[in-house]
Amino acid sequence: MRGSTLLVSDTEQFRFEPTVFGAVRRYRLMVLAVVIASAVCGAGWALLQPDAYRAETSITVQAPASAQRDSNHVDAQVLLLQSQDVAARAADIVNTAREGEGLTVRDFSGDESALTITPPETNSPGTYGTGTIRVSFTWSNPQVAQLGANAMAQAFDEARSAATRSEGDATIAAIQNTIDDARNGGQRLDVLLEQRMQVLVNQQIDLANHPVVAWAPEPEKPVTATVRNSAAVGGLMGVLLGSLLAYLRAVRRGGFGHSGEPALLYRVPLLGEIPTIAASRFPIRRHDVAGLLPVATDPRSPAAEAFRFAAAAVEHGHPTPARDQRIAVISALQGSDRSVVVANLALALAEGGSRVLAVDAVGGTLSALLLDPVPDAGGLTQALTGQRDLADCIRSSACGEGLDVLGSGPEPSTRLAGEAYGRAIDKVLIEAESGYDVVLIDCPDLLRVATSTAVVDRCGTALLVVGPDQLARDHLSSVQRLDRLGTIVLGYVYLVAAVPSLTGRTLHPAPALGPAGRSPSLAAGDPDPDAPAPAAEPAMIGSDAADPDSIGPNSTGSAARLIPSTRPATRDKRRLPSPFLRTAGT
């Protein structure tokens, strides 16, 4: 597939909207941590809760004989069951049965009581005014829970009988007063005597009709949540909470969730997906930076093979118009990631037999990775200003055969900018590209450094480097800038894990060896460096004994000596066939 020019219409229509599923997949470790934490909290809560036992009883009440059609009778019985008198009597019954238990009225009445009363919803057909009221009592002791539920039924029966007797006696007394008044007036007493007799009969019937109680048995199992159930509920809540947090994080960061998403924005193919580079897992200060160049130091690693696939894709997709040798490697804001990609792509292309020139237009990172430290060495800045000839600034890299590097050089006193910089970089590249098949240029950050536009404009062909957690809005700005330049984009390289920043970190170069293999800095009587050393510890960068300068434009640190010092001058290395690149003389 050939490179393509980005279109503004595609950019305007593109909306990078994260989805819940994509956010969960992107931040799956965070979601998993939230789920585990929620499950542990749920299990811990269940363990801290004391066991609670619940005893249940049912009370079936009938309508009184004098009010068979009274629809409010069941409601009146529920109110009686909820009264303070019934609660006080139930507490006395429990405390009498179990001395020292200390139950109070609050345990049977109020919002914080252990008692639950469930009235019947409706009267079922054929019940003839009866209703079943369910009563449950919850307590930490199963015997007390049983006593509490049964005590409520007993106290209710006593309160109901007392209310029935009191109500009947009051009615009979009222009728008797009426009879006495009628006798004094000479009126007939037949009706009144009949009413008194009926009230007496109804009272005895109601007193004989006790509520039907299904006495509560002693509960065997606690009703509190088990550890397993609580952990399951906590895990489910953790899934919801973790998904919400992942989605909010994805919305806030607005980055790419996987390697295929940048293709939707840039409309270019994925040339290579680089797995985690070994050195990026640890701070560089503590570990050797050799892992940043897996093509040279670990040629059989997955990262090295991924870079070779990307190099082959670059060879295949390389266009053929003028200035086709120049490839500007660009990124929105990531610097060290891009420099590591340029270094490894240059090594992979050189392995395939191509003559490669890597140009450090950033300020030292690429030079530190590929070149030995040489004091006062010239670079791109000196070639641009004419202070030195280009041939004196280009140096061969010790990391791979067929690879030359045009380092950044010391920072000049006066800097070129704008069109002057563009003309100067174009002149340097025209002079340099005549002796190489591919010129890879490590460009400054596209959205932060103005000279990056001039470099990309003079190349016409670009290769994108995209890393994780980069903001989509930055890439939208990159698309718009590249579209204005009319740049042909070959594709993009996606880094699964970000490479740690090299700026301000310490590299430990191996000392150059003098005549007879002795370091010129050794004084008489110092240990001989030619003494045999274990084979597992070759002379490599990364020794913590030194403390050289940090990476920068004038850095003397270098990752060029990443291979053992015992390496022969020429090495037997594999070469990938490169039928798509021009060779000398074609």
Side-chain angles (χ1 to χ4, degrees), residues 61-418:
V61 295
Q62 299 178 359
S66 59
Q68 291 290 337
R69 297 183 180 180
D70 187 2
S71 59
N72 297 325
H73 170 68
V74 176
D75 296 338
Q77 299 304 304
V78 173
L79 294 176
L80 178 62
L81 192 59
Q82 295 174 344
S83 64
Q84 295 288 324
D85 295 338
V86 174
R89 176 57 182 155
D92 292 339
I93 294 174
V94 175
N95 292 332
T96 302
R98 289 180 62 90
E99 296 182 1
E101 194 63 38
L103 269 68
T104 63
V105 177
R106 290 185 177 182
D107 296 326
F108 292 90
S109 178
D111 296 335
E112 300 180 357
S113 67
L115 182 71
T116 302
I117 300 176
T118 306
E121 296 181 358
T122 56
N123 292 331
S124 302
T127 57
Y128 301 103
T130 63
T132 301
I133 305 172
R134 299 189 180 276
V135 178
S136 62
F137 190 80
T138 305
W139 202 255
S140 58
N141 189 308
Q143 297 178 355
V144 176
Q146 180 189 21
L147 285 174
N150 293 334
M152 281 298 297
Q154 181 181 346
F156 169 73
D157 187 19
E158 296 176 359
R160 179 182 176 277
S161 297
T164 300
R165 185 177 292 106
S166 176
E167 181 180 354
D169 292 344
T171 304
I172 292 173
I175 294 175
Q176 186 63 43
N177 292 332
T178 304
I179 291 175
D180 294 340
D181 294 339
R183 284 176 179 176
N184 296 330
Q187 299 178 3
R188 296 182 60 179
L189 305 177
D190 298 342
V191 177
L192 294 176
L193 292 175
E194 184 178 355
Q195 289 179 356
R196 185 181 66 175
M197 181 61 64
Q198 186 64 43
V199 171
L200 289 172
V201 171
N202 291 339
Q203 183 185 38
Q204 296 302 317
I205 293 174
D206 292 340
L207 291 175
N209 291 335
H210 292 278
V212 180
V213 179
W215 300 103
E218 181 178 339
E220 299 179 354
K221 296 181 180 180
V223 295
T224 51
T226 62
V227 175
R228 179 180 300 178
N229 293 340
S230 299
V233 174
L236 179 60
M237 297 299 295
V239 171
L240 299 178
L241 179 60
S243 301
L244 177 61
L245 293 177
Y247 179 75
L248 293 177
R249 185 180 181 185
V251 170
R252 181 179 179 182
R253 304 193 71 167
F256 296 117
H258 57 86
S259 60
E261 289 184 354
L264 301 176
L265 174 61
Y266 285 100
R267 301 293 193 268
V268 294
L270 172 64
L271 301 184
E273 182 175 355
I274 311 302
T276 303
I277 300 176
S280 64
R281 302 176 184 173
F282 311 101
I284 295 181
R285 186 177 297 276
R286 293 189 176 184
H287 290 266
D288 200 338
V289 295
L292 295 178
L293 297 178
V295 176
T297 60
D298 193 7
R300 297 183 181 275
S301 64
E305 293 299 330
F307 279 116
R308 293 189 183 97
F309 277 117
V314 170
E315 292 175 343
H316 190 297
H318 208 196
T320 57
R323 299 184 300 181
D324 61 329
Q325 295 163 286
R326 311 175 191 176
I327 301 178
V329 183
I330 59 176
S331 63
L333 293 174
Q334 297 295 322
S336 59
D337 294 2
R338 181 188 58 250
S339 300
V340 172
V341 170
V342 172
N344 284 277
L345 281 179
L347 289 170
L349 289 170
E351 277 188 352
S354 300
R355 295 172 300 170
V356 182
L357 175 63
V359 180
D360 185 357
V362 177
T365 302
L366 181 64
S367 304
L369 288 171
L370 296 178
L371 291 178
D372 293 333
V374 175
D376 299 330
L380 178 62
T381 55
Q382 284 68 42
L384 292 176
T385 57
Q387 298 176 4
R388 293 194 181 186
D389 294 337
L390 179 62
D392 297 334
C393 299
I394 297 177
R395 300 163 54 196
S396 297
S397 174
C399 296
E401 298 175 5
L403 173 60
D404 292 342
V405 180
L406 176 57
S408 60
E411 189 69 20
S413 57
T414 58
R415 299 183 58 182
L416 297 176

Side-chain angles (χ1 to χ4, degrees), residues 390-479:
L390 179 62
D392 297 334
C393 299
I394 297 177
R395 300 163 54 196
S396 297
S397 174
C399 296
E401 298 175 5
L403 173 60
D404 292 342
V405 180
L406 176 57
S408 60
E411 189 69 20
S413 57
T414 58
R415 299 183 58 182
L416 297 176
E419 186 62 24
Y421 182 89
R423 290 193 300 268
I425 191 69
D426 189 34
K427 178 181 178 181
V428 170
L429 294 178
I430 291 175
E431 182 180 355
E433 66 186 0
S434 60
Y436 299 94
D437 300 317
V438 179
V439 178
L440 288 179
I441 306 172
D442 185 10
C443 293
D445 301 336
L446 189 61
L447 301 181
R448 189 167 56 185
V449 182
T451 55
S452 62
T453 303
V455 176
V456 174
D457 187 37
R458 263 61 182 186
C459 292
T461 302
L463 175 66
L464 292 165
V465 176
V466 181
D469 298 331
Q470 295 181 1
L471 298 179
R473 59 175 177 266
D474 293 338
H475 289 279
L476 287 171
S477 301
S478 298
V479 170

